[in-house]
Amino acid sequence: MNPGSIAFIMLCSALVMLMSIGLAFFYGGLGRRKNVINTMMMAIIPLGLASLLWVLAGYSLSFSGKGILLGNLSQTFLHGLSESHSSRGLDIPDLLFAAFQMMFPAVTAAILTGAVAGRMRFKALLIFLAAWMFLVYYPFAHMVWGHGLLERWGTIDFAGGDVVHITSGVSGLVLAIVVGKRRDFKQMDYRPHNIPFVLLGAGLLWFGWFGFNAGSALAANASAVHALVTTHVCAAAGLISWISLDYYFAGKPSLVGASTGLVAGLVAITPGAGFVPVWSALLIGLLVSPVCYLAISIIKHKLEYDDALDAFGCHGIGGIFGGLATGLFTQPDLALDGHHFGLIYGNANLFLVMVAAILVTVIWSALVSFLLIRIIGHFMPIRVDERAEVIGLDDSEHEETAYPTFMGLDG
């Protein structure tokens, strides 16, 4: 065991946990003031729910055994995990590895909730998230990181572009379509109700993402240093790129745009943070913002799906772009082995594997999420009634208000 690595991963675990709080502020600020409590609640409830399910069976299903699609139940309740040695050949003990990984499903589930902000019943969402962990997150954590199917194909995912962002973004899109559009969708211009909250959330996400990506090296080593630098460079490039788009299309830069751009950059670099060179991280950040901007500003309105806070437009699209970029730019001396490096270095194998893995992730996440929410809908309403939506979900779902002096309907 390496004391420096142990201290580093303990800190990174805390940083990843903080990302859920950051996402709550980011989503809460983007939403409407009559729904801010509900929106933030949906983002933080996975911290409790996902953590308990992880201890119960999630870790075991994700990282125990050698199944193709899923692990086994040999380490339920974290049974047999040592606080002092690693069975994986890591610098950190097994229990710390489990604790670090426990933070990932929490933020993953929180991401998808943004797609249905403002109209989904909280109880139905809780049931969906609990089942989604077992049917989507744990299988992909195992398939990509637990020696399952996609890892055997040769898929690489440094910190969760596939496992975290594509699964949550696609599932959020399906959820938004099935639950339906907000009652005044396209009838009014939705505006973020608290832009300082948006910046606060984006800042906490940027800060926490250093633990998310650098910590995925699972040691205080050169790979962690490299991931930290590529993470920051890509986020900075995404921010500047989005501001440039604001200037071009709107004539003025926006703080919401800057915040969204940096998050898009963080999403895009996640799968390749430890594998791609720094120069490509800058390029990935510059390119992901136009891609996500197109999805959010044009495609969403053309197809008329109501992804309320752009969970799919930012995380789903950004995650797919990042996976493809990883297949393009993975540097041979940073690759996991001598056979899986990027297309620009003369090897098409990794790129093709990444495309196949992305397709599997999109299809699986979409199909399971659709069936799951349909099944839940047979037993209970999944959407609040019209009166509750008009009044706001803060009052109807929680009997709380973020702004006690606010007495009227929210535009």
Side-chain angles (χ1 to χ4, degrees):
M1 297 294 94
N2 185 307
S5 291
I6 291 173
F8 173 62
I9 300 303
M10 290 176 69
L11 175 61
C12 288
S13 300
L15 289 173
V16 180
M17 185 281 294
L18 187 65
M19 289 174 67
S20 292
I21 308 301
L23 191 67
F25 275 101
F26 186 71
Y27 277 173
L30 285 173
R32 302 168 74 176
R33 57 183 173 177
K34 65 183 181 181
N35 297 324
V36 60
I37 296 294
N38 177 259
T39 302
M40 298 179 84
M41 187 72 167
M42 290 196 302
I44 66 165
I45 196 65
L47 271 176
L49 180 65
S51 297
L52 296 183
L53 293 177
W54 189 250
V55 172
L56 173 65
Y59 174 81
S60 190
L61 291 171
S62 299
F63 291 103
S64 298
K66 297 182 179 180
I68 294 177
L69 302 179
L70 202 60
N72 59 38
L73 295 173
S74 63
Q75 293 180 308
T76 54
F77 293 100
L78 307 183
H79 172 73
L81 297 189
S82 173
E83 300 92 342
S84 58
H85 77 272
S86 173
S87 63
R88 299 175 173 273
L90 301 174
D91 288 349
I92 60 172
D94 287 341
L95 191 59
L96 179 54
F97 173 76
F100 177 67
Q101 292 293 338
M102 176 167 57
M103 307 305 169
F104 282 63
V107 72
T108 305
I111 290 168
L112 70 86
T113 66
V116 289
R119 75 267 203 195
M120 187 169 180
R121 292 185 70 216
F122 191 72
K123 185 185 296 184
L125 179 70
L126 283 178
I127 296 171
F128 176 85
L129 291 178
W132 187 86
M133 292 290 173
F134 286 93
L135 297 175
V136 178
Y137 186 86
Y138 302 154
F140 277 95
H142 180 76
M143 284 192 283
V144 175
W145 293 329
H147 308 296
L149 178 65
L150 300 185
E151 187 174 5
R152 297 179 195 184
W153 284 1
T155 302
I156 59 174
D157 187 354
F158 192 78
D162 193 276
V163 178
V164 174
H165 296 292
I166 300 178
T167 60
S168 61
V170 171
S171 297
L173 174 63
V174 170
L175 203 60
I177 293 171
V178 174
V179 172
K181 303 170 187 176
R182 286 166 289 182
R183 58 181 296 277
D184 45 15
F185 180 70
K186 298 201 78 173
Q187 297 177 18
M188 62 177 296
D189 184 22
Y190 296 112
R191 294 178 178 271
H193 93 283
N194 192 323
I195 294 176
F197 268 21
V198 176
L199 177 61
L200 174 62
L204 290 172
L205 284 169
W206 198 341
F207 182 64
W209 226 289
F210 290 126
F212 192 75
N213 283 1
S216 292
L218 300 175
N221 57 18
S223 180
V225 173
H226 186 86
L228 184 144
V229 173
T230 56
T231 297
H232 186 74
V233 168
C234 196
L239 186 158
I240 296 300
S241 181
W242 201 290
I243 286 179
S244 301
L245 293 167
D246 277 343
Y247 266 118
Y248 182 79
F249 288 107
K252 296 179 181 179
S254 71
L255 186 56
V256 170
S259 301
T260 305
L262 75 87
V263 172
L266 292 167
V267 171
I269 197 59
T270 293
F275 304 132
V276 303
V278 174
W279 66 263
S280 70
L282 190 153
L283 184 61
I284 291 167
L286 290 176
L287 293 178
V288 71
S289 284
V291 172
C292 290
Y293 190 96
L294 175 68
I296 292 170
S297 301
I298 299 175
I299 295 176
K300 181 174 77 169
H301 296 286
K302 290 288 186 182
L303 299 181
E304 296 190 359
Y305 59 84
D306 189 11
D307 176 10
L309 304 179
D310 298 310
F312 175 71
C314 188
H315 295 270
I317 296 296
I320 292 170
F321 179 85
L324 296 175
T326 302
L328 285 173
F329 298 116
T330 293
Q331 191 169 303
D333 62 345
L334 297 173
L336 293 176
D337 58 50
H339 304 291
H340 295 90
F341 53 87
L343 182 61
I344 68 164
Y345 295 100
N347 188 348
N349 183 56
L350 177 62
F351 184 79
L352 295 175
V353 167
M354 296 299 288
V355 171
I358 289 168
L359 290 174
V360 169
T361 307
V362 169
I363 294 170
W364 182 310
S365 300
L367 181 60
V368 171
S369 297
F370 177 79
L371 293 175
L372 181 56
I373 194 61
R374 284 296 191 190
I375 291 170
I376 294 171
H378 279 294
F379 295 96
M380 66 174 62
I382 59 175
R383 182 176 179 136
V384 299
D385 60 35
E386 185 173 355
R387 180 179 181 278
E389 191 173 345
V390 170
I391 295 172
L393 274 64
D394 289 0
D395 182 71
S396 64
E397 292 288 292
H398 309 286
E399 293 188 357
E400 289 183 310
T401 178
Y403 308 102
T405 58
F406 173 60
M407 300 298 291
L409 297 183
D410 193 356

